[in-house]
PDB file of all heavy atoms in Angstrom:
ATOM      1  N   VAL H   1       0.770  -1.158   0.020  1.00 29.00           N
ATOM      2  CA  VAL H   1       0.003   0.004  -0.004  1.00 29.00           C
ATOM      3  C   VAL H   1       0.842   1.287   0.025  1.00 29.00           C
ATOM      4  O   VAL H   1       0.561   2.234  -0.633  1.00 29.00           O
ATOM      5  CB  VAL H   1      -0.954  -0.058   1.249  1.00 29.00           C
ATOM      6  CG1 VAL H   1      -1.812   1.282   1.324  1.00 29.00           C
ATOM      7  CG2 VAL H   1      -1.926  -1.229   1.203  1.00 29.00           C
ATOM      8  N   VAL H   2       1.931   1.173   0.681  1.00 31.00           N
ATOM      9  CA  VAL H   2       2.964   2.230   0.663  1.00 31.00           C
ATOM     10  C   VAL H   2       4.139   1.700  -0.081  1.00 31.00           C
ATOM     11  O   VAL H   2       4.620   0.596   0.206  1.00 31.00           O
ATOM     12  CB  VAL H   2       3.399   2.644   2.159  1.00 31.00           C
ATOM     13  CG1 VAL H   2       4.467   3.738   2.067  1.00 31.00           C
ATOM     14  CG2 VAL H   2       2.223   3.065   2.913  1.00 31.00           C
ATOM     15  N   SER H   3       4.622   2.496  -1.009  1.00 31.00           N
ATOM     16  CA  SER H   3       5.740   1.959  -1.813  1.00 31.00           C
ATOM     17  C   SER H   3       6.766   2.989  -2.064  1.00 31.00           C
ATOM     18  O   SER H   3       6.605   4.180  -1.895  1.00 31.00           O
ATOM     19  CB  SER H   3       5.211   1.416  -3.208  1.00 31.00           C
ATOM     20  OG  SER H   3       4.715   2.606  -3.916  1.00 31.00           O
ATOM     21  N   SER H   4       7.998   2.525  -2.400  1.00 33.00           N
ATOM     22  CA  SER H   4       9.109   3.396  -2.679  1.00 33.00           C
ATOM     23  C   SER H   4      10.050   2.654  -3.632  1.00 33.00           C
ATOM     24  O   SER H   4      10.171   1.561  -3.498  1.00 33.00           O
ATOM     25  CB  SER H   4       9.781   3.869  -1.423  1.00 33.00           C
ATOM     26  OG  SER H   4      10.958   4.551  -1.735  1.00 33.00           O
ATOM     27  N   SER H   5      10.798   3.466  -4.487  1.00 35.00           N
ATOM     28  CA  SER H   5      11.775   2.773  -5.278  1.00 35.00           C
ATOM     29  C   SER H   5      12.886   2.223  -4.408  1.00 35.00           C
ATOM     30  O   SER H   5      13.273   2.717  -3.369  1.00 35.00           O
ATOM     31  CB  SER H   5      12.302   3.848  -6.281  1.00 35.00           C
ATOM     32  OG  SER H   5      12.991   4.882  -5.569  1.00 35.00           O
ATOM     33  N   ALA H   6      13.536   1.152  -4.890  1.00 38.00           N
ATOM     34  CA  ALA H   6      14.610   0.490  -4.197  1.00 38.00           C
ATOM     35  C   ALA H   6      15.737   1.484  -3.950  1.00 38.00           C
ATOM     36  O   ALA H   6      16.078   2.203  -4.893  1.00 38.00           O
ATOM     37  CB  ALA H   6      15.047  -0.714  -4.899  1.00 38.00           C
ATOM     38  N   ALA H   7      16.385   1.492  -2.838  1.00 39.00           N
ATOM     39  CA  ALA H   7      17.461   2.406  -2.528  1.00 39.00           C
ATOM     40  C   ALA H   7      18.712   1.762  -2.948  1.00 39.00           C
ATOM     41  O   ALA H   7      18.971   0.549  -3.075  1.00 39.00           O
ATOM     42  CB  ALA H   7      17.509   2.710  -1.037  1.00 39.00           C
ATOM     43  N   THR H   8      19.701   2.631  -3.209  1.00 43.00           N
ATOM     44  CA  THR H   8      21.067   2.152  -3.449  1.00 43.00           C
ATOM     45  C   THR H   8      21.659   1.633  -2.198  1.00 43.00           C
ATOM     46  O   THR H   8      21.181   2.002  -1.060  1.00 43.00           O
ATOM     47  CB  THR H   8      21.992   3.245  -4.060  1.00 43.00           C
ATOM     48  OG1 THR H   8      22.032   4.307  -3.070  1.00 43.00           O
ATOM     49  CG2 THR H   8      21.291   3.831  -5.346  1.00 43.00           C
ATOM     50  N   THR H   9      22.759   0.804  -2.324  1.00 54.00           N
ATOM     51  CA  THR H   9      23.345   0.239  -1.105  1.00 54.00           C
ATOM     52  C   THR H   9      24.758   0.751  -0.925  1.00 54.00           C
ATOM     53  O   THR H   9      25.542   0.129  -0.225  1.00 54.00           O
ATOM     54  CB  THR H   9      23.299  -1.301  -1.206  1.00 54.00           C
ATOM     55  OG1 THR H   9      23.927  -1.749  -2.365  1.00 54.00           O
ATOM     56  CG2 THR H   9      21.812  -1.780  -1.159  1.00 54.00           C
ATOM     57  N   ALA H  10      25.099   1.820  -1.632  1.00 69.00           N
ATOM     58  CA  ALA H  10      26.482   2.351  -1.541  1.00 69.00           C
ATOM     59  C   ALA H  10      26.725   2.808  -0.069  1.00 69.00           C
ATOM     60  O   ALA H  10      25.775   3.351   0.540  1.00 69.00           O
ATOM     61  CB  ALA H  10      26.666   3.476  -2.502  1.00 69.00           C
ATOM     62  N   ALA H  11      27.859   2.560   0.401  1.00 83.00           N
ATOM     63  CA  ALA H  11      28.220   2.982   1.785  1.00 83.00           C
ATOM     64  C   ALA H  11      29.661   3.265   1.894  1.00 83.00           C
ATOM     65  O   ALA H  11      30.469   2.650   1.220  1.00 83.00           O
ATOM     66  CB  ALA H  11      27.740   1.970   2.782  1.00 83.00           C
ATOM     67  N   LEU H  12      30.042   4.230   2.728  1.00 92.00           N
ATOM     68  CA  LEU H  12      31.427   4.561   3.000  1.00 92.00           C
ATOM     69  C   LEU H  12      32.045   3.522   4.012  1.00 92.00           C
ATOM     70  O   LEU H  12      31.299   2.897   4.701  1.00 92.00           O
ATOM     71  CB  LEU H  12      31.537   5.948   3.516  1.00 92.00           C
ATOM     72  CG  LEU H  12      31.079   7.101   2.619  1.00 92.00           C
ATOM     73  CD1 LEU H  12      30.910   8.362   3.331  1.00 92.00           C
ATOM     74  CD2 LEU H  12      32.011   7.203   1.482  1.00 92.00           C
ATOM     75  N   PRO H  13      33.350   3.551   4.106  1.00 94.00           N
ATOM     76  CA  PRO H  13      33.996   2.617   5.152  1.00 94.00           C
ATOM     77  C   PRO H  13      33.640   3.136   6.474  1.00 94.00           C
ATOM     78  O   PRO H  13      33.203   4.301   6.626  1.00 94.00           O
ATOM     79  CB  PRO H  13      35.441   2.810   4.856  1.00 94.00           C
ATOM     80  CG  PRO H  13      35.626   3.290   3.475  1.00 94.00           C
ATOM     81  CD  PRO H  13      34.379   4.116   3.203  1.00 94.00           C
ATOM     82  N   ARG H  14      33.816   2.406   7.551  1.00 96.00           N
ATOM     83  CA  ARG H  14      33.436   2.722   8.814  1.00 96.00           C
ATOM     84  C   ARG H  14      34.178   3.931   9.373  1.00 96.00           C
ATOM     85  O   ARG H  14      35.441   4.088   9.139  1.00 96.00           O
ATOM     86  CB  ARG H  14      33.579   1.574   9.841  1.00 96.00           C
ATOM     87  CG  ARG H  14      33.428   1.913  11.280  1.00 96.00           C
ATOM     88  CD  ARG H  14      33.144   0.697  12.175  1.00 96.00           C
ATOM     89  NE  ARG H  14      31.759   0.198  11.815  1.00 96.00           N
ATOM     90  CZ  ARG H  14      31.324  -0.917  12.349  1.00 96.00           C
ATOM     91  NH1 ARG H  14      32.061  -1.648  13.229  1.00 96.00           N
ATOM     92  NH2 ARG H  14      30.114  -1.394  12.025  1.00 96.00           N
ATOM     93  N   ALA H  15      33.487   4.818  10.036  1.00 96.00           N
ATOM     94  CA  ALA H  15      34.137   5.993  10.677  1.00 96.00           C
ATOM     95  C   ALA H  15      33.540   6.227  12.064  1.00 96.00           C
ATOM     96  O   ALA H  15      32.372   6.049  12.240  1.00 96.00           O
ATOM     97  CB  ALA H  15      33.861   7.226   9.797  1.00 96.00           C
ATOM     98  N   THR H  16      34.405   6.540  12.990  1.00 96.00           N
ATOM     99  CA  THR H  16      33.859   6.715  14.420  1.00 96.00           C
ATOM    100  C   THR H  16      33.861   8.204  14.744  1.00 96.00           C
ATOM    101  O   THR H  16      33.575   8.553  15.915  1.00 96.00           O
ATOM    102  CB  THR H  16      34.851   6.002  15.418  1.00 96.00           C
ATOM    103  OG1 THR H  16      36.195   6.408  15.219  1.00 96.00           O
ATOM    104  CG2 THR H  16      34.800   4.549  15.165  1.00 96.00           C
ATOM    105  N   ALA H  17      34.009   9.044  13.747  1.00 94.00           N
ATOM    106  CA  ALA H  17      33.884  10.547  13.970  1.00 94.00           C
ATOM    107  C   ALA H  17      33.204  11.104  12.753  1.00 94.00           C
ATOM    108  O   ALA H  17      33.241  10.478  11.682  1.00 94.00           O
ATOM    109  CB  ALA H  17      35.318  11.166  14.165  1.00 94.00           C
ATOM    110  N   ASP H  18      32.658  12.231  12.962  1.00 94.00           N
ATOM    111  CA  ASP H  18      31.960  12.905  11.802  1.00 94.00           C
ATOM    112  C   ASP H  18      33.042  13.354  10.727  1.00 94.00           C
ATOM    113  O   ASP H  18      33.989  13.998  11.123  1.00 94.00           O
ATOM    114  CB  ASP H  18      31.233  14.139  12.446  1.00 94.00           C
ATOM    115  CG  ASP H  18      30.280  14.799  11.466  1.00 94.00           C
ATOM    116  OD1 ASP H  18      30.332  14.453  10.276  1.00 94.00           O
ATOM    117  OD2 ASP H  18      29.502  15.613  11.905  1.00 94.00           O
ATOM    118  N   ARG H  19      32.791  12.989   9.568  1.00 93.00           N
ATOM    119  CA  ARG H  19      33.801  13.454   8.451  1.00 93.00           C
ATOM    120  C   ARG H  19      33.526  14.964   8.230  1.00 93.00           C
ATOM    121  O   ARG H  19      32.428  15.493   8.572  1.00 93.00           O
ATOM    122  CB  ARG H  19      33.470  12.570   7.252  1.00 93.00           C
ATOM    123  CG  ARG H  19      33.751  11.119   7.344  1.00 93.00           C
ATOM    124  CD  ARG H  19      33.426  10.373   6.065  1.00 93.00           C
ATOM    125  NE  ARG H  19      33.844   9.020   6.062  1.00 93.00           N
ATOM    126  CZ  ARG H  19      33.080   8.038   6.502  1.00 93.00           C
ATOM    127  NH1 ARG H  19      31.827   8.273   6.975  1.00 93.00           N
ATOM    128  NH2 ARG H  19      33.510   6.786   6.376  1.00 93.00           N
ATOM    129  N   PRO H  20      34.472  15.610   7.579  1.00 89.00           N
ATOM    130  CA  PRO H  20      34.298  16.984   7.262  1.00 89.00           C
ATOM    131  C   PRO H  20      33.051  17.262   6.403  1.00 89.00           C
ATOM    132  O   PRO H  20      32.704  16.505   5.493  1.00 89.00           O
ATOM    133  CB  PRO H  20      35.550  17.333   6.493  1.00 89.00           C
ATOM    134  CG  PRO H  20      36.564  16.303   6.977  1.00 89.00           C
ATOM    135  CD  PRO H  20      35.784  15.108   7.280  1.00 89.00           C
ATOM    136  N   ASP H  21      32.321  18.301   6.831  1.00 87.00           N
ATOM    137  CA  ASP H  21      31.013  18.553   6.108  1.00 87.00           C
ATOM    138  C   ASP H  21      31.286  19.018   4.621  1.00 87.00           C
ATOM    139  O   ASP H  21      32.252  19.784   4.380  1.00 87.00           O
ATOM    140  CB  ASP H  21      30.270  19.688   6.841  1.00 87.00           C
ATOM    141  CG  ASP H  21      29.828  19.129   8.203  1.00 87.00           C
ATOM    142  OD1 ASP H  21      29.842  17.925   8.409  1.00 87.00           O
ATOM    143  OD2 ASP H  21      29.440  20.075   8.991  1.00 87.00           O
ATOM    144  N   GLU H  22      30.390  18.646   3.716  1.00 85.00           N
ATOM    145  CA  GLU H  22      30.439  19.083   2.317  1.00 85.00           C
ATOM    146  C   GLU H  22      29.780  20.406   2.201  1.00 85.00           C
ATOM    147  O   GLU H  22      30.033  21.088   1.097  1.00 85.00           O
ATOM    148  CB  GLU H  22      29.918  18.013   1.422  1.00 85.00           C
ATOM    149  CG  GLU H  22      30.733  16.756   1.273  1.00 85.00           C
ATOM    150  CD  GLU H  22      30.271  15.828   0.316  1.00 85.00           C
ATOM    151  OE1 GLU H  22      29.034  15.531   0.186  1.00 85.00           O
ATOM    152  OE2 GLU H  22      31.115  15.363  -0.535  1.00 85.00           O
ATOM    153  N   ARG H  23      28.919  20.744   3.138  1.00 81.00           N
ATOM    154  CA  ARG H  23      28.237  22.032   3.034  1.00 81.00           C
ATOM    155  C   ARG H  23      27.983  22.563   4.486  1.00 81.00           C
ATOM    156  O   ARG H  23      27.861  21.708   5.375  1.00 81.00           O
ATOM    157  CB  ARG H  23      26.890  21.886   2.371  1.00 81.00           C
ATOM    158  CG  ARG H  23      25.909  20.972   2.947  1.00 81.00           C
ATOM    159  CD  ARG H  23      24.636  20.845   2.113  1.00 81.00           C
ATOM    160  NE  ARG H  23      23.718  19.902   2.583  1.00 81.00           N
ATOM    161  CZ  ARG H  23      22.553  19.634   2.061  1.00 81.00           C
ATOM    162  NH1 ARG H  23      22.207  20.201   0.991  1.00 81.00           N
ATOM    163  NH2 ARG H  23      21.764  18.656   2.614  1.00 81.00           N
ATOM    164  N   PRO H  24      27.901  23.776   4.629  1.00 78.00           N
ATOM    165  CA  PRO H  24      27.781  24.349   6.070  1.00 78.00           C
ATOM    166  C   PRO H  24      26.322  24.372   6.407  1.00 78.00           C
ATOM    167  O   PRO H  24      25.411  24.120   5.633  1.00 78.00           O
ATOM    168  CB  PRO H  24      28.219  25.817   5.867  1.00 78.00           C
ATOM    169  CG  PRO H  24      28.016  26.158   4.542  1.00 78.00           C
ATOM    170  CD  PRO H  24      28.178  24.920   3.724  1.00 78.00           C
ATOM    171  N   GLY H  25      26.104  24.613   7.681  1.00 80.00           N
ATOM    172  CA  GLY H  25      24.709  24.802   8.187  1.00 80.00           C
ATOM    173  C   GLY H  25      23.972  23.586   8.611  1.00 80.00           C
ATOM    174  O   GLY H  25      24.476  22.557   8.869  1.00 80.00           O
ATOM    175  N   ALA H  26      22.693  23.755   8.796  1.00 89.00           N
ATOM    176  CA  ALA H  26      21.846  22.723   9.357  1.00 89.00           C
ATOM    177  C   ALA H  26      21.809  21.455   8.544  1.00 89.00           C
ATOM    178  O   ALA H  26      21.687  21.567   7.330  1.00 89.00           O
ATOM    179  CB  ALA H  26      20.400  23.303   9.600  1.00 89.00           C
ATOM    180  N   GLN H  27      21.979  20.297   9.116  1.00 94.00           N
ATOM    181  CA  GLN H  27      21.831  19.080   8.427  1.00 94.00           C
ATOM    182  C   GLN H  27      21.660  17.925   9.398  1.00 94.00           C
ATOM    183  O   GLN H  27      21.854  18.073  10.564  1.00 94.00           O
ATOM    184  CB  GLN H  27      23.108  18.814   7.576  1.00 94.00           C
ATOM    185  CG  GLN H  27      24.429  18.965   8.311  1.00 94.00           C
ATOM    186  CD  GLN H  27      25.605  19.107   7.371  1.00 94.00           C
ATOM    187  OE1 GLN H  27      25.956  18.173   6.738  1.00 94.00           O
ATOM    188  NE2 GLN H  27      26.146  20.253   7.316  1.00 94.00           N
ATOM    189  N   ILE H  28      21.247  16.715   8.914  1.00 97.00           N
ATOM    190  CA  ILE H  28      20.975  15.572   9.682  1.00 97.00           C
ATOM    191  C   ILE H  28      22.159  14.550   9.440  1.00 97.00           C
ATOM    192  O   ILE H  28      22.434  14.191   8.321  1.00 97.00           O
ATOM    193  CB  ILE H  28      19.701  14.961   9.245  1.00 97.00           C
ATOM    194  CG1 ILE H  28      18.533  15.913   9.613  1.00 97.00           C
ATOM    195  CG2 ILE H  28      19.482  13.577   9.974  1.00 97.00           C
ATOM    196  CD1 ILE H  28      17.202  15.610   8.964  1.00 97.00           C
ATOM    197  N   HIS H  29      22.712  14.144  10.586  1.00 97.00           N
ATOM    198  CA  HIS H  29      23.845  13.251  10.633  1.00 97.00           C
ATOM    199  C   HIS H  29      23.366  11.871  11.142  1.00 97.00           C
ATOM    200  O   HIS H  29      22.720  11.879  12.189  1.00 97.00           O
ATOM    201  CB  HIS H  29      25.017  13.763  11.440  1.00 97.00           C
ATOM    202  CG  HIS H  29      26.267  12.908  11.319  1.00 97.00           C
ATOM    203  ND1 HIS H  29      27.084  12.953  10.305  1.00 97.00           N
ATOM    204  CD2 HIS H  29      26.692  11.876  12.168  1.00 97.00           C
ATOM    205  CE1 HIS H  29      28.093  12.026  10.450  1.00 97.00           C
ATOM    206  NE2 HIS H  29      27.825  11.395  11.639  1.00 97.00           N
ATOM    207  N   VAL H  30      23.702  10.878  10.365  1.00 98.00           N
ATOM    208  CA  VAL H  30      23.197   9.520  10.689  1.00 98.00           C
ATOM    209  C   VAL H  30      24.145   8.753  11.519  1.00 98.00           C
ATOM    210  O   VAL H  30      25.434   8.816  11.173  1.00 98.00           O
ATOM    211  CB  VAL H  30      22.831   8.789   9.472  1.00 98.00           C
ATOM    212  CG1 VAL H  30      22.337   7.339   9.765  1.00 98.00           C
ATOM    213  CG2 VAL H  30      21.748   9.542   8.621  1.00 98.00           C
ATOM    214  N   LEU H  31      23.760   8.053  12.513  1.00 98.00           N
ATOM    215  CA  LEU H  31      24.579   7.199  13.328  1.00 98.00           C
ATOM    216  C   LEU H  31      24.133   5.790  13.398  1.00 98.00           C
ATOM    217  O   LEU H  31      22.996   5.471  13.253  1.00 98.00           O
ATOM    218  CB  LEU H  31      24.555   7.732  14.833  1.00 98.00           C
ATOM    219  CG  LEU H  31      24.927   9.172  15.022  1.00 98.00           C
ATOM    220  CD1 LEU H  31      24.647   9.504  16.578  1.00 98.00           C
ATOM    221  CD2 LEU H  31      26.374   9.502  14.709  1.00 98.00           C
ATOM    222  N   TYR H  32      25.130   4.818  13.519  1.00 98.00           N
ATOM    223  CA  TYR H  32      24.912   3.438  13.783  1.00 98.00           C
ATOM    224  C   TYR H  32      25.408   3.190  15.160  1.00 98.00           C
ATOM    225  O   TYR H  32      26.686   3.267  15.429  1.00 98.00           O
ATOM    226  CB  TYR H  32      25.615   2.488  12.802  1.00 98.00           C
ATOM    227  CG  TYR H  32      25.455   1.047  13.078  1.00 98.00           C
ATOM    228  CD1 TYR H  32      24.232   0.492  13.590  1.00 98.00           C
ATOM    229  CD2 TYR H  32      26.489   0.117  12.842  1.00 98.00           C
ATOM    230  CE1 TYR H  32      24.145  -0.847  13.822  1.00 98.00           C
ATOM    231  CE2 TYR H  32      26.354  -1.220  13.002  1.00 98.00           C
ATOM    232  CZ  TYR H  32      25.192  -1.738  13.476  1.00 98.00           C
ATOM    233  OH  TYR H  32      25.057  -3.019  13.807  1.00 98.00           O
ATOM    234  N   VAL H  33      24.506   2.935  16.131  1.00 98.00           N
ATOM    235  CA  VAL H  33      24.907   2.914  17.566  1.00 98.00           C
ATOM    236  C   VAL H  33      24.623   1.541  18.098  1.00 98.00           C
ATOM    237  O   VAL H  33      23.635   0.891  17.818  1.00 98.00           O
ATOM    238  CB  VAL H  33      24.046   3.951  18.339  1.00 98.00           C
ATOM    239  CG1 VAL H  33      24.409   3.944  19.775  1.00 98.00           C
ATOM    240  CG2 VAL H  33      24.222   5.318  17.717  1.00 98.00           C
ATOM    241  N   LEU H  34      25.603   0.996  18.878  1.00 98.00           N
ATOM    242  CA  LEU H  34      25.501  -0.231  19.460  1.00 98.00           C
ATOM    243  C   LEU H  34      25.725  -0.184  21.060  1.00 98.00           C
ATOM    244  O   LEU H  34      26.537   0.724  21.456  1.00 98.00           O
ATOM    245  CB  LEU H  34      26.492  -1.251  18.965  1.00 98.00           C
ATOM    246  CG  LEU H  34      26.347  -1.729  17.478  1.00 98.00           C
ATOM    247  CD1 LEU H  34      27.477  -2.624  17.077  1.00 98.00           C
ATOM    248  CD2 LEU H  34      24.978  -2.345  17.390  1.00 98.00           C
ATOM    249  N   PRO H  35      25.013  -1.059  21.789  1.00 98.00           N
ATOM    250  CA  PRO H  35      25.384  -1.064  23.218  1.00 98.00           C
ATOM    251  C   PRO H  35      26.708  -1.756  23.362  1.00 98.00           C
ATOM    252  O   PRO H  35      27.351  -2.322  22.439  1.00 98.00           O
ATOM    253  CB  PRO H  35      24.293  -1.918  23.780  1.00 98.00           C
ATOM    254  CG  PRO H  35      23.788  -2.827  22.688  1.00 98.00           C
ATOM    255  CD  PRO H  35      23.966  -1.904  21.434  1.00 98.00           C
ATOM    256  N   SER H  36      27.325  -1.693  24.559  1.00 98.00           N
ATOM    257  CA  SER H  36      28.694  -2.296  24.837  1.00 98.00           C
ATOM    258  C   SER H  36      28.734  -3.759  24.402  1.00 98.00           C
ATOM    259  O   SER H  36      29.797  -4.207  23.952  1.00 98.00           O
ATOM    260  CB  SER H  36      29.056  -2.120  26.273  1.00 98.00           C
ATOM    261  OG  SER H  36      28.144  -2.865  27.100  1.00 98.00           O
TER     262      SER H  36
END
């Protein structure tokens, strides 16, 4: 009933810090978080 085109699966290597921003200002940064 709700549909969307399939997403790409491209991904960067793992990083534990925010990489330098490509543009300034407000933006949403995504995290993959795990418990200990």
Side-chain angles (χ1 to χ4, degrees):
V1 174
V2 182
S3 64
S4 173
S5 60
T8 61
T9 58
L12 297 169
R14 174 159 290 176
T16 56
D18 192 346
R19 296 176 174 91
D21 294 346
E22 291 189 310
R23 60 182 176 182
Q27 52 195 289
I28 296 168
H29 185 79
V30 178
L31 303 173
Y32 177 38
V33 182
L34 293 177
S36 62

